[in-house]
């Protein structure tokens, strides 16, 4: 089982090395060329629980022993999620909601970032490398906290997270600023998520920077979904939710269904494409964007163009114009043409845009549909679903739900992926049900609870009373300098 770079077929490494390295040295993402040659036996998985299904999925992507995989899954999830089924499926009047926010930070990133540290620990035992690992991560809000929580005090690792100072919700910011752990560091930048993500990617191909780290016995890795070890755990909940529909006799094994996914960096929906490749019967993966609709335009026209205004929306975790994981889709759709992918990515870097052929676009559109939603419609959808189904959506899930309503398919069952607790975006959710209020976000959290009776997650309830431990803010071009200066604190 060998992973290769999306941009260079000669860059080949084993799964453990791919997890530890995160990103290929020339900037490509690690992929399995023969993805899909091994298929899940779905019939044998009917009636199995999350842990058992996860183990079978991970076997298709890792060269770990069965015992090592079981160890990772158990240590990632057992007793750490508020719902023992991990990703419960909730039936509404016209669709299903897949709740991915029952983990320790109330966001879907917990699924991948609870497992990645466990995979990293095992991977470190499999390679003959005595260096420590520095996790560098950019976040639009949720990845940062989930990565910090997952890697907190994990042996032989240090983690630094960078986020846009004015581009996350109040709750997301406080979650990161109060992060504990002797090996954690959090810093805001003056810029947006794309600035943070691009800065991190540049550091991964900066040979001088990596040499300076090696002098300190440190190697780089990432907790973003550019790391294959973060992406593959997300494949599991597509399989789990499909089998749950079979268990409930809502579908028959083999029936195709739709997944509607709020999408920014393209990792979450790409995990659905991976699930499709290993045999899950998916009709359409529906990519839901907010007003930063660069993916909508690409999936409609074949032209990816980030040369546009960056908009701040009520769904800030989707405020992204450079969707990194799209690169992996382009690799597979182009029949694993590394040179073609490298050319597209170079065009994106040099001009801010690229265009795929009509044939490539046609193949993408066979599996993917798309839609986008304004802030106003997002908030109206939160109110609509609450009044109709007594169910409270967050601002990202509401984007997906509005796109579902705009493209409703009566012929197939529809699952909307719910990516965060509504309490992570309290002001926007509260003002969707009531008039706008400029009260403190944590006061509004209590008011939203009184209004809806939806339980506030334990990790958010007294967040405002925790000590602020990280309050650094830097210019976006000073990330390298900051990292080298602060490493000694970890």
């Amino acid at each position: 089982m060998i992973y290769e770079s999306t941009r260079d077929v000669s860059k080949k490494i084993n799964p453990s090395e791919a997890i530890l390295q995160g990103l290929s040295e020339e900037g490509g993402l690690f992929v399995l060329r023969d993805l899909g040659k091994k298929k899940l036996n779905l019939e044998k998985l009917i009636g199995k629980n999350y842990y058992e299904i996860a183990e079978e999925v991970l076997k298709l992507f890792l060269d770990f022993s069965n015992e090592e995989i079981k160890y990772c899954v158990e240590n990632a999830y057992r007793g750490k999620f508020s719902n023992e089924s991990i990703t419960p499926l909730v039936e509404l009047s016209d669709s299903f909601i897949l709740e991915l926010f029952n983990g320790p930070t109330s966001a879907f990133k917990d699924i991948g970032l609870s497992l990645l540290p466990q995979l990293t620990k095992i991977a470190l035992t499999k390679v003959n490398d005595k260096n420590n690992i520095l996790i560098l991560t950019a976040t639009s809000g949720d990845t940062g906290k989930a990565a910090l929580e997952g890697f907190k005090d994990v042996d032989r690792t240090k983690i630094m997270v960078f986020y846009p100072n004015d581009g996350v919700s109040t709750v997301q910011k406080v979650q990161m600023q109060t992060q504990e752990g002797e090996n954690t560091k959090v810093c805001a930048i003056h810029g947006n998520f794309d600035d943070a993500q691009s800065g991190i990617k540049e550091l991964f191909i900066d040979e001088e920077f990596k040499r300076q780290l090696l002098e300190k016995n440190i190697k780089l890795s990432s907790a973003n979904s550019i790391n294959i070890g973060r992406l593959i755990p997300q494949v599991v909940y597509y399989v789990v939710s499909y089998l749950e529909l079979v268990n409930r006799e809502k579908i028959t094994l083999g029936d195709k269904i739709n997944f509607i996914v709020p999408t920014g960096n393209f990792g979450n929906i790409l995990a659905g494409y991976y699930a499709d490749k290993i045999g899950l019967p998916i009709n359409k993966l529906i990519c839901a964007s907010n007003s930063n609709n660069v993916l909508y335009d690409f999936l409609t026209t074949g032209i990816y163009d980030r040369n546009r205004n960056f908009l701040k929306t009520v769904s800030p975790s989707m405020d992204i114009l450079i969707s990194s994981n799209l690169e992996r889709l382009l690799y597979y759709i182009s029949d694993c043409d590394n040179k073609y992918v490298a050319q597209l990515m170079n065009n994106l870097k040099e001009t801010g845009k690229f265009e795929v052929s009509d044939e490539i676009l046609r193949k993408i559109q066979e599996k993917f549909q798309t839609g986008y939603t304004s802030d106003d419609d997002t908030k109206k959808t939160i109110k609509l679903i609450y009044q109709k189904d007594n169910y409270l959506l967050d601002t990202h899930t509401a984007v997906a739900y509005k796109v579902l309503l705009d493209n409703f398919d009566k012929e197939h069952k529809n699952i909307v992926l719910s990516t965060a607790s509504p309490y992570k975006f309290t002001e926007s959710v509260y003002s969707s049900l009531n008039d706008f209020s400029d009260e403190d976000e944590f006061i509004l959290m209590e008011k939203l609870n009184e209004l809806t009776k939806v339980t506030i997650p334990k990790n958010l309830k007294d967040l405002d009373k925790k000590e602020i431990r990280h309050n650094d803010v830097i210019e976006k071009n000073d990330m390298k300098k900051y990292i080298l200066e602060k490493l000694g604190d970890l």
Side-chain angles (χ1 to χ4, degrees):
M1 188 182 294
I2 297 295
Y3 282 84
E4 68 181 54
S5 168
T6 49
R7 303 183 194 182
D8 187 343
V9 69
S10 71
K11 307 294 186 186
K12 294 181 181 292
I13 57 179
N14 65 41
S16 293
E17 293 168 327
I19 290 167
L20 295 176
Q21 191 171 322
L23 192 70
S24 185
E25 59 197 48
E26 85 296 345
L29 280 61
F30 290 118
V31 285
L32 282 175
R33 177 170 285 267
D34 61 353
L35 175 67
K37 287 189 177 178
K38 296 179 183 178
K39 304 288 186 181
L40 280 177
N41 187 331
L42 293 173
E43 189 171 3
K44 286 189 175 181
L45 294 179
I46 294 175
K48 302 290 188 182
N49 63 30
Y50 194 98
Y51 300 84
E52 294 166 322
I53 295 170
E55 289 170 28
E56 293 303 313
V57 171
L58 293 177
K59 289 176 186 176
L60 302 182
F61 296 94
L62 301 173
D63 58 354
F64 292 15
S65 69
N66 291 348
E67 292 74 19
E68 288 169 334
I69 290 175
K70 183 178 181 64
Y71 168 88
C72 290
V73 172
E74 287 288 331
N75 280 274
Y77 302 124
R78 187 72 67 184
K80 297 177 181 178
F81 280 60
S82 60
N83 191 306
E84 192 55 31
S85 62
I86 313 299
T87 57
L89 189 67
V90 178
E91 184 172 3
L92 301 189
S93 57
D94 53 10
S95 64
F96 296 84
I97 295 282
L98 182 61
E99 292 187 344
L100 304 176
F101 53 79
N102 291 286
T105 76
S106 301
F108 84 98
K109 307 295 176 74
D110 288 324
I111 307 295
L113 287 165
S114 293
L115 189 54
L116 178 59
Q118 306 303 323
L119 300 177
T120 300
K121 285 194 290 187
I122 297 297
L124 280 168
T125 69
K126 288 180 167 292
V127 299
N128 186 23
D129 193 334
K130 302 303 181 184
N131 292 295
N132 293 322
I133 300 294
L134 172 61
I135 307 288
L136 286 187
T137 296
T139 184
S140 56
D142 286 334
T143 290
K145 175 60 180 178
L148 289 161
E149 197 63 28
F151 280 97
K152 178 181 67 177
D153 295 326
V154 171
D155 191 39
R156 294 184 61 190
T157 65
K158 307 172 188 291
I159 178 167
M160 288 190 179
V161 169
F162 295 88
Y163 69 92
N165 194 40
D166 297 317
V168 300
S169 77
T170 298
V171 172
Q172 287 175 315
K173 179 179 286 191
V174 177
Q175 278 188 301
M176 289 185 282
Q177 289 179 326
T178 57
Q179 178 64 47
E180 299 174 347
E182 296 301 315
N183 63 338
T184 64
K185 183 69 70 175
V186 181
C187 183
I189 68 163
H190 293 299
N192 57 42
F193 169 75
D194 290 329
D195 295 323
Q197 179 171 247
S198 296
I200 293 292
K201 283 185 172 182
E202 287 300 314
L203 292 176
F204 271 83
I205 59 175
D206 184 330
E207 294 302 323
E208 171 63 17
F209 176 65
K210 289 192 287 186
R211 183 191 64 77
Q212 290 173 288
L213 291 181
L214 272 177
E215 290 176 353
K216 303 174 186 292
N217 298 313
I218 292 172
K219 282 189 173 181
L220 284 180
S221 189
S222 174
N224 289 93
S225 52
I226 56 175
N227 189 322
I228 194 68
R230 155 71 195 283
L231 179 66
I232 55 178
Q234 297 178 238
V235 178
V236 176
Y237 49 71
Y238 283 90
V239 179
V240 168
S241 60
Y242 180 91
L243 292 173
E244 181 61 19
L245 289 183
V246 176
N247 292 337
R248 297 185 192 181
E249 299 183 342
K250 300 294 182 180
I251 61 172
T252 300
L253 187 65
D255 291 348
K256 291 188 174 184
I257 68 172
N258 300 319
F259 289 94
I260 305 89
V261 189
T263 309
N265 213 21
F266 210 76
N268 200 6
I269 197 166
L270 182 74
Y273 178 75
Y274 274 45
D276 180 82
K277 293 278 281 184
I278 61 174
L280 196 68
I282 296 177
N283 178 50
K284 292 290 184 180
L285 292 163
I286 302 175
C287 176
S289 298
N290 62 16
S291 297
N292 289 298
N293 55 358
V294 64
L295 284 169
Y296 170 85
D297 288 345
F298 171 71
L299 293 171
T300 303
T301 68
I303 299 172
Y304 193 100
D305 188 354
R306 64 174 175 83
N307 300 307
R308 61 183 71 201
N309 291 330
F310 183 95
L311 304 175
K312 293 182 179 179
T313 74
V314 297
S315 44
S317 297
M318 297 164 63
D319 290 346
I320 296 172
L321 294 180
I322 304 175
S323 303
S324 294
N325 267 290
L326 184 61
E327 182 171 342
R328 283 188 170 110
L329 177 66
L330 294 170
Y331 168 87
Y332 287 114
I333 293 293
S334 66
D335 295 324
C336 308
D337 189 337
N338 311 72
K339 290 182 178 179
Y340 179 67
V341 173
Q343 176 191 333
L344 294 178
M345 293 303 104
N346 185 63
N347 291 345
L348 182 63
K349 183 176 181 179
E350 297 296 326
T351 69
K353 63 187 296 187
F354 64 79
E355 182 174 2
V356 298
S357 67
D358 290 343
E359 175 65 11
I360 293 290
L361 179 60
R362 182 191 64 77
K363 289 169 69 176
I364 292 173
Q365 290 176 338
E366 287 177 359
K367 185 57 61 177
F368 289 84
Q369 286 184 353
T370 186
Y372 74 94
T373 305
S374 68
D375 275 2
D376 188 47
D377 281 343
T378 298
K379 297 180 82 169
K380 287 179 179 177
T381 302
I382 292 173
K383 187 171 185 177
L384 170 68
I385 300 305
Y386 181 70
Q387 292 177 335
K388 182 166 71 76
D389 291 301
N390 194 34
Y391 189 88
L392 191 62
L393 303 172
D394 84 288
T395 50
H396 303 74
T397 310
V399 168
Y401 215 103
K402 179 61 167 67
V403 170
L404 166 67
L405 296 176
D406 289 344
N407 302 271
F408 199 83
D409 177 3
K410 294 181 180 178
E411 301 302 315
H412 301 88
K413 298 298 182 184
N414 297 285
I415 295 180
V416 176
L417 272 58
S418 184
T419 54
S421 164
Y423 287 105
K424 296 197 76 167
F425 310 95
T426 306
E427 187 281 317
S428 296
V429 173
Y430 184 84
S431 63
S432 299
L433 305 180
N434 282 284
D435 294 332
F436 170 77
S437 172
D438 59 0
E439 289 183 277
D440 177 85
E441 189 106 354
F442 294 96
I443 293 174
L444 288 180
M445 195 179 285
E446 297 296 337
K447 287 191 171 185
L448 186 60
N449 172 251
E450 292 173 10
L451 176 67
T452 65
K453 309 306 180 189
V454 174
T455 302
I456 302 173
K458 288 182 179 179
N459 73 88
L460 302 180
K461 188 167 179 59
D462 295 314
L463 188 61
D464 57 325
K465 298 177 178 62
K466 296 184 70 174
E467 175 191 359
I468 299 294
R469 299 166 58 91
H470 308 274
N471 53 16
D472 291 345
V473 185
I474 61 172
E475 298 299 325
K476 62 183 181 182
N477 295 324
D478 289 338
M479 293 166 64
K480 178 178 178 179
K481 176 184 176 184
Y482 178 88
I483 292 165
L484 292 172
E485 286 179 351
K486 297 296 184 179
L487 266 178
D489 298 342
L490 297 178

